[in-house]
Amino acid sequence: MKYLRHFALVSALITPSLLVAAPSLDDKSAFIADLVGRMTLEEKVGQLRLISIGGDMPRERIREEMAAGRIGATFNSVVRPENRPMQEAALRSRLGIPVFFAYDIIHGHRTTFPIGLGLASSWDIAAIENSARVAAFEASADGLDMTFAPTVDISRDPRWGRTSEGFGEDPYLVSRIATAMVHGFQGKDPSDPQRIMASVKHFALYGAVEGGRDYNVVDMSPMRMYQDYLPPYRAAIDAGAGGVMVALNAINGVPASANTWLLRDLLRREWGFKGVALSDHGAITELLRHGVAADGRDAARLAITAGVGMSMADTLYDQELPALVRSGAVPQSVLDEAVTHVLNTKYDLGLFHDPFRRIGRAEDDPADVNAESRLHRADARAMARDSLVLLENHGDTLPLSKKTTVALIGPLADSPVDMLGSWSAVGVAEQAVTLRKGMETVLAGQGKLLYAVGANVTDDAHVINYLNQLNWDRPEVVLDKRTPQQMLEEAVRVAAQADVIVAAVGEARGMSHESSSRTRLDLPDSQQALLRALKATGKPLVLVLMNGRPLALSWEKDNADAMLETWYSGIEGGHAIADVLFGEHNPSGKLPISFPRSVGQIPTYYNHLRLGRPYTPGTPGNYTSQYFEEPNGPLYPFGYGLSYSEFQLSAPKLSAERMGPDEKIRVSVTLKNAGSRAGASVVQLYLHDEAASVIRPVKELKDFRRVKLEAGETRELSFEIDEPMLRFYNASLQHVSEPGAFRVQLGLDSESVQEARFELLPRQ
């Protein structure tokens, strides 16, 4: 088939008069309006269908449906030879409208970068944007047009399995990353053939599900929504995200997929969103189970009226919308609006100009579709190194000598699939560098590496059965068939021969995933038994954690000589972790989410509201807000992370003590690397409103600077504070600042800060 690169030409082959009548392709609004006017009711409904490839419908039937104009887009078809026949079929339809191809590209496509929490731990906005750029380059080379990302749900309950996908607990940091990810995916123009369109998710408030249990309800005050949970979605949309995926949860009693206030009043009218709103998988049918729809007809009516444009892996639009529109139960204008958004998306992707702009010609298909992953491994390694957070390092246990004998022990030490983490797109586990491989490479010809599994990730039969039923291409947990005692004895024997123990422990990746909520945050019993046995050997004990959520690590904090949080660090993770363990790279990661002392402390987050009876450390007695079994506050606070260098931060100096509404205050601070090696740290600026019309948080992150310094180097940093930084949503949902006193706090984490005070003057 000859590839036709202009919609009017495609149409002309079918209806010659269209070539004359159709508006110019350069006039987007007129072109789309004219196209909508030419469509039949069934063709319009077809544009709203987003189907899953690999589901119940055979490929031949899918192509027939596309040729009939009854499918608008697909997801889960990945490579060009798979997508090309479908696009060709779509162009054979009466109007020749192309389809677009989407996929879940969360933290890399073929080159797997660290999971979301890992990316956020770098606090390196430029590097995070680059990771999305690489993902877009690889995905577009595979023929994909859109990703269901970034995931920007604020998460303050680590029991929620999807904590791993997002960027943590703080609205400002997550908003900065949301903007960077959208820019990385889309560039300046999503029609660029080496870019893809971002579809931000999950709109909205998905990270606040009750009890941290996936798909659960959310009940939240509007003020908290606007102040804490909505800003990252708004940031992604302001950055130009072309799509929004609607969340599966209910919000204050109304499912997001039937929530007119959310999708029309807020998203489109207040925020001005012009792109396409997509349901999550099967969400429209789920309106029946939510109990807000009496039947499928009612569910389809509710969803499209509320503003859900495309229906993902759901048949109700196809089955019910034609009759709903003919009867007048759904106005024609509502359907036309939804179709217009879909067609605008295809126009913005450049598909009307060239339906094959990312698919290309068959003769140009690469012989090796994984070649891209080898092009970008250096980017993945650099990103992974900067995502690692050093939690403990007693007596300078780390870095390790390259001439030592190391016992590497643990169920995650040599597990390539777990290096990739959840939602690893088309990353190939066999290409991932495990910790064992990374350490072998460093120690080759110098030291010696001994290895033992030591324990299974878990011995809980219920958990194992659950994980192995997840939709992966292999069992999620591969068990060692020996008894737990046999594995422990081997681990102790191996440890006895070494100078130091490195224990790789944590969660299998399926334990931090969609639908993988947990009631416990400690390590599984099998791994706790292993660590206790290793501790009893008396050898220095270094823990390498691999996990997708904050864990409760009180025993580990008290007993490990060093502890490194690595999350799931991606395809180059083994090399990156070894780089840090042996001092080739100085760790600089900072936590984007607080680590609670126990599951009973949840929620634990740094920017909590002030209290009338706050707990005051060192003051005995009851009747203050506390748990009496353990200290208040996190085990590891937001923004925390150690280095092999000692970074010293001076007290902040303000350019003025009073600021008018149209003025700025400059905050100066000096950072010194007092250590003996080059490194990086993150200077964090927090603000505290001393008195306001509503309760304000104890502090809020408002700016940060990631700074690299040579050994002994000192640098003066300058931050600016202006009136918009002081605004908040009041009880009337007005975004305002109020005159009065503020404290500016500078630190290298959210707890250890130095303060200065200034006053915002009233407007004259």
Side-chain angles (χ1 to χ4, degrees), residues 616-663:
T616 304
T619 301
N622 295 317
Y623 311 113
T624 62
S625 183
Q626 62 179 300
Y627 298 105
F628 62 80
E629 301 104 324
E630 63 186 8
N632 272 30
L635 187 68
Y636 297 109
F638 175 85
Y640 172 84
L642 302 176
S643 170
Y644 295 154
S645 296
E646 178 189 355
F647 286 94
Q648 299 172 348
L649 191 65
S650 71
K653 295 180 180 179
L654 304 184
S655 60
E657 295 182 351
R658 293 177 178 83
M659 182 178 82
D662 299 318
E663 298 174 337

Side-chain angles (χ1 to χ4, degrees), residues 150-154 171-172 174-180 182-183 199-205 225-244 262 265-274 727 729 733 735:
T151 302
V152 300
D153 307 307
I154 294 292
Y172 178 78
V174 178
S175 294
R176 289 280 304 273
I177 296 173
T179 299
V182 171
H183 288 164
S199 182
V200 63
K201 66 183 184 185
H202 305 82
F203 191 66
L205 318 182
M225 287 185 205
Y226 275 79
Q227 191 64 42
D228 292 350
Y229 284 83
L230 292 176
Y233 308 109
R234 177 69 183 270
I237 288 162
D238 287 347
V244 167
L262 180 72
D265 296 343
L266 179 67
L267 180 63
R268 295 207 182 271
R269 293 192 183 99
E270 186 174 332
W271 292 358
F273 178 63
K274 304 296 184 185
R727 294 176 188 172
Y729 287 94
L733 296 185
H735 200 214

Side-chain angles (χ1 to χ4, degrees), residues 227 658-665 667 685-694 696-697 700-702 720-730 734-744 758-762:
Q227 191 64 42
R658 293 177 178 83
M659 182 178 82
D662 299 318
E663 298 174 337
K664 297 180 181 181
I665 285 180
V667 184
L685 184 150
Y686 299 87
L687 290 177
H688 168 75
D689 193 341
E690 291 194 358
S693 58
V694 297
R696 302 291 292 120
E700 296 175 289
L701 181 71
K702 291 295 183 178
E720 281 191 342
I721 297 174
D722 58 11
E723 181 270 335
M725 292 173 68
L726 310 181
R727 294 176 188 172
F728 62 94
Y729 287 94
N730 64 17
Q734 297 168 317
H735 200 214
V736 300
S737 62
E738 295 175 351
F742 291 81
R743 296 180 198 169
V744 57
F758 68 94
E759 182 180 358
L760 175 66
L761 301 175

Side-chain angles (χ1 to χ4, degrees), residues 52 62 135 162 194 233 328 387 389 414 442 459 470 498 560 681 706:
S52 175
I62 290 171
R162 304 192 82 163
Q194 293 186 340
Y233 308 109
S387 74
V389 184
D414 199 26
V442 171
D459 289 329
L470 292 173
S681 191
R706 189 175 187 275

Side-chain angles (χ1 to χ4, degrees), residues 706-724:
R706 189 175 187 275
V707 183
K708 296 181 180 180
L709 296 178
E710 296 298 321
E713 183 181 0
T714 297
R715 186 176 306 171
E716 182 175 296
L717 306 174
S718 180
F719 298 85
E720 281 191 342
I721 297 174
D722 58 11
E723 181 270 335

Side-chain angles (χ1 to χ4, degrees), residues 31-50:
F31 175 78
I32 297 299
D34 180 78
L35 183 56
V36 172
R38 297 175 185 274
M39 297 172 73
T40 66
L41 175 58
E42 286 71 21
E43 287 170 337
K44 291 177 181 178
V45 172
Q47 285 300 304
L48 307 187
R49 292 179 68 197
L50 175 61

